[in-house]
């Protein structure tokens, strides 16, 4: 079989991934990944070059970089002179946990600095020891005495740090009386201000963190909150822009008057008919908007602050996409990745840059891009008559049905590319079902709508792709709820199931990791009527069928704060003796990176599981056996079900919540 780290079939291009786009001044930076690792590239008027980075501590990788810039930061109104924002690069290191890794100082690898690799560079940060102001950055942080082995908690604080000083001199900025989860940072058009976003109990709070002009002390100003994750607030061209219902046909982008933040004061931006804004980013002159045009085609628009009228920048052809876009309100350019089809039918990735004052973007680099396997879309009927789309890639081999849950395919990007390779080689048929599994459980009548969509898709595939072809189902995150539910309700449909970084306990989730912030989305198990609905959908609490279950592979992430590893470990413990259980722990987060060796090993395990089990054939008897595979160099306990939490073995999985 072909898996990552092995020889690639002839004619299959080298895997390419571009992420972490960043703009500084008139230059753009991006990570380009390959199986051998990642490198940081810089593109400007002189061309594209590789950026040399210092070697990090043993066992740690670079998670976030803000390269040294050139030129000057913009001058706020009423303040004379330009402020240089050059100086050394800001580099943070940590375990390769994706968006949820530990960040540490290079010189002190045992000291935790932050939960997220979010960096905002500021031209002036005062010294905590009384020295003059100098370049620095803002990041989300932990208490000063936190350790790498401490339980992960998001959003303890936001910290200011001055470049070149010991991290012990950080200046913490409290956000409120209670810690918030999922704290993120974004630059603004003001060189002294950072937008802080935090989500708790279904509400996203916006705060403006500003360094006072005189004392340079940090102050926090509350901004209007958002009750939906599809709401976005951005500062660009000296005004706020607010998007509502982004990514839906009802999406609206409002331009607020300068100095105004109230949503009611905004004027809607008029896009062409059939065009809906999906996301947007602030620039020095206005905003760049990614929009979806009628028919599903993507496009980029620019809106200048002096005339809120969208102007088309790039119109994608059918099948094109813009998976990565970035701008900086204090920089002179925007940067994006466009993946599109070539005239010969292949695909290519284009890293493109738009300089301020120029009417059209220019290409910085063209990258070989693995082409998607030819696909077709079919439709099956769900239990309530809903027309459920199922997209098929490939025509041969075992069938693998995917369910992503709350995140997009980007969460599984390394795996998706490996599976597409197998589909192109005629060794696998990949099926993606667009389900409705994120509907709040307590609003789902009898658990039918949404959470059973995957089961209906599996029945359709079993009937229409041939009864003799093995059928597997894979669920990621919340997608594991639908995948596990389908297997537990009709185990005879499947030859195997795979749960990656799964959510399995819909009754006890508030006590696991950051699950306490999900009650507005999933339901509140402390309320009896909602607890009943959650228990009826929870893989950990569903009754086990009388007969044997197909083999299962469960993968967990040591640094995963969205889906705590205990979700997967507790389900594995419950299934032992009823199925061949393989439980694997990897030092990764909820979102994988293609350049991470641990991610490549996890991907190879999935492809091997599918192809090896497919050799047994449908309805073949596979004896139930227990297996615990450890792929976690930092903690052997992760691979041992129950050892990390002794009470897990004795607890009744169908009893009280943990």
């Amino acid at each position: 079989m072909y898996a990552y780290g092995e020889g690639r079939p002839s004619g299959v291009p080298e895997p390419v991934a571009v992420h972490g786009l960043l703009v500084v001044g008139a230059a753009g930076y991006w990570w380009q990944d390959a199986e051998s690792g990642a490198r940081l590239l810089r593109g400007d008027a002189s061309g594209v070059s590789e950026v040399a980075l210092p070697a990090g501590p043993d066992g740690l990788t670079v998670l976030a970089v803000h390269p040294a810039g050139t030129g000057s930061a913009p001058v706020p109104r009423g303040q004379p002179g330009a402020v240089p924002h050059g100086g050394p690069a800001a580099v943070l290191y940590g375990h390769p946990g994706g968006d949820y890794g530990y960040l540490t100082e290079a010189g002190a690898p045992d000291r935790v600095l932050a939960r997220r690799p979010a960096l905002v560079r500021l031209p002036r940060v005062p010294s905590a020891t009384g020295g003059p102001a100098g370049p620095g950055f803002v990041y989300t942080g932990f208490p000063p005495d936190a350790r790498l082995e401490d339980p992960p908690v998001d959003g303890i604080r936001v910290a200011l740090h001055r470049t070149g000083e010991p991290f012990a001199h950080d200046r913490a900025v409290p956000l409120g009386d209670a810690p918030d989860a999922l704290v993120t940072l974004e630059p603004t058009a003001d060189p002294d201000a950072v937008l802080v976003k935090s989500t708790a109990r279904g509400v996203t709070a916006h705060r403006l963190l500003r360094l006072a002009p005189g004392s340079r002390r940090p102050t926090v100003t509350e901004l209007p909150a958002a009750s939906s994750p599809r709401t976005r607030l951005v500062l660009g061209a000296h005004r706020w822009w607010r998007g509502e219902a982004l990514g839906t046909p009802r999406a609206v982008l409002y331009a607020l008057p300068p100095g105004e933040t109230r949503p009611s004061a905004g004027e809607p931006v008029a896009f062409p008919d059939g065009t809906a804004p999906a996301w947007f980013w602030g620039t020095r002159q206005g905003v760049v908007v990614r929009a979806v045009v009628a028919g599903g085609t993507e496009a980029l628009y620019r809106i200048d602050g002096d005339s809120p009228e969208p102007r088309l920048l790039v119109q994608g052809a059918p099948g094109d996409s813009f998976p990565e876009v970035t701008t900086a309100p204090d920089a002179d350019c925007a940067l994006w990745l466009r993946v599109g089809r070539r005239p010969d039918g292949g695909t290519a990735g284009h890293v493109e840059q738009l300089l301020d004052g120029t009417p059209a973007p220019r290409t910085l680099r063209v990258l070989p891009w693995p082409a998607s396997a030819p696909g077709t879309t079919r439709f099956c009927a769900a239990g309530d008559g809903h027309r459920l789309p199922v997209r098929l890639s490939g025509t041969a081999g075992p069938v693998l049905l995917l369910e992503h849950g709350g995140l997009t395919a980007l969460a599984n990007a390394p795996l998706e590319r490996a599976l597409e390779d197998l589909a192109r080689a005629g060794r696998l048929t990949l099926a993606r079902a667009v389900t409705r599994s994120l509907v709040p459980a307590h609003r789902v009548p009898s658990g039918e709508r949404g959470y059973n969509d995957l089961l209906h898709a599996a029945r359709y595939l079993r009937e229409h792709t041939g009864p003799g072809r093995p059928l597997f189902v894979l669920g990621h995150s919340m997608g594991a709820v639908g995948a596990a539910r389908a297997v537990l309700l009709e185990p005879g449909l499947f030859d195997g199931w795979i749960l990656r970084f799964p959510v399995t306990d819909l009754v006890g989730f508030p006590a696991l990791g950051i699950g306490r912030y999900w009650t507005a989305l999933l339901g509140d198990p402390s309320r009896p009527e909602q607890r009943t609905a959650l228990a009826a959908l929870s893989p950990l609490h569903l009754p086990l069928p009388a007969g044997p279950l197909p083999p299962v592979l469960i993968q967990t992430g040591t640094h995963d704060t969205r889906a705590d590893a205990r979700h997967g470990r507790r389900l594995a413990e419950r299934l032992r003796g009823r199925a061949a259980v393989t439980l694997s722990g990897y030092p990764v987060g909820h979102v994988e990176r293609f350049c991470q060796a641990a991610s490549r090993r996890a991907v190879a395990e999935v492809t091997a599981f599918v192809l090896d089990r497919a050799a047994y054939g449908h309805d073949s008897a596979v004896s139930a056996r227990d297996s615990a595979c450890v792929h976690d160099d930092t903690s052997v306990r992760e691979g041992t079900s129950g050892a990390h939490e002794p009470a897990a073995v004795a607890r009744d999985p169908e009893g009280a919540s943990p």
Side-chain angles (χ1 to χ4, degrees), residues 268-294:
V269 176
F271 285 89
D273 291 342
T275 300
W279 208 247
F280 61 98
W281 298 262
T283 71
R284 185 176 294 185
Q285 295 186 344
V287 292
V288 171
V289 183
R290 179 170 61 200
V292 178
V293 186

Side-chain angles (χ1 to χ4, degrees), residues 275 289-301 312-323 336-341 348 350 352 361:
T275 300
V289 183
R290 179 170 61 200
V292 178
V293 186
T297 303
E298 293 188 10
L300 293 181
Y301 286 84
L312 183 65
L313 285 175
V314 183
Q315 174 70 63
D320 289 3
S321 65
F322 298 90
W336 59 76
L337 170 67
R338 176 167 57 92
V339 178
R341 296 187 180 277
H350 301 258
E352 298 176 335

Side-chain angles (χ1 to χ4, degrees), residues 640-658:
T640 307
S641 179
H644 190 66
E645 183 196 53
V649 177
R651 179 181 297 108
D652 179 6
E654 298 188 19
S657 62

Side-chain angles (χ1 to χ4, degrees), residues 195-499:
L195 182 63
V196 183
K197 300 171 62 177
S198 59
T199 301
R201 300 171 184 85
V203 176
T204 299
H206 297 92
R207 301 174 177 93
L208 198 61
L209 172 62
R210 184 189 303 276
L211 300 181
S215 64
R216 310 303 298 160
R217 292 184 178 277
T219 60
V220 177
T221 304
E222 297 285 341
L223 299 175
S227 58
S228 166
R230 298 184 183 274
T231 300
R232 181 165 171 79
L233 187 65
V234 166
L235 180 62
H238 305 292
R239 73 164 71 210
W240 289 98
W241 307 77
R242 186 179 178 93
E244 302 281 355
L246 296 171
T248 74
R250 300 178 290 103
V252 181
L253 177 62
Y254 295 94
L256 305 178
E260 183 62 71
T261 59
R262 292 179 299 114
S264 59
E267 292 292 333
V269 176
F271 285 89
D273 291 342
T275 300
W279 208 247
F280 61 98
W281 298 262
T283 71
R284 185 176 294 185
Q285 295 186 344
V287 292
V288 171
V289 183
R290 179 170 61 200
V292 178
V293 186
T297 303
E298 293 188 10
L300 293 181
Y301 286 84
R302 178 170 65 187
I303 307 174
D304 294 333
D306 55 353
S307 176
E309 180 178 340
R311 290 184 289 176
L312 183 65
L313 285 175
V314 183
Q315 174 70 63
D320 289 3
S321 65
F322 298 90
E324 293 268 356
V325 183
T326 189
T327 69
D330 60 348
D332 303 308
C333 68
L335 191 71
W336 59 76
L337 170 67
R338 176 167 57 92
V339 178
R341 296 187 180 277
R342 299 194 306 265
D344 63 1
T347 57
H350 301 258
V351 179
E352 298 176 335
Q353 180 188 47
L354 178 71
L355 294 171
D356 277 357
T358 58
R362 65 190 184 100
T363 299
L364 292 177
R365 170 155 291 187
V366 179
L367 305 165
W369 208 263
S372 298
T376 59
T377 300
R378 301 181 182 180
F379 295 88
C380 67
D384 58 355
H386 172 70
R387 197 165 179 252
L388 182 67
V390 182
R391 178 173 175 79
L392 298 175
S393 298
T395 58
V399 181
L400 178 60
L401 176 59
L402 292 184
E403 170 81 293
H404 286 300
L407 291 177
T408 66
L410 290 176
N412 278 306
L415 176 63
E416 291 263 354
R417 288 174 185 156
L419 297 177
E420 289 283 355
D421 280 351
L422 292 174
R424 279 192 296 270
R427 306 192 64 188
L428 177 75
T429 296
L430 194 57
R432 299 177 178 89
V434 183
T435 69
R436 301 163 291 170
S437 62
L438 281 183
V439 177
H442 58 284
R443 302 178 191 169
V444 180
S446 302
E448 172 60 37
R449 185 167 65 90
Y451 284 87
N452 277 351
D453 282 355
L454 202 69
L455 181 58
H456 291 289
R459 292 169 179 164
Y460 177 88
L461 291 171
R462 175 60 73 194
E463 179 180 354
H464 291 84
T465 61
R469 297 176 63 187
L471 175 63
F472 297 82
V473 62
L474 184 152
H476 178 275
S477 188
M478 278 298 296
V481 174
R485 178 179 174 81
V487 174
L488 294 177
L489 290 179
E490 292 192 31
L493 271 179
F494 303 95
D495 296 273
W497 41 317
I498 304 161
L499 308 180

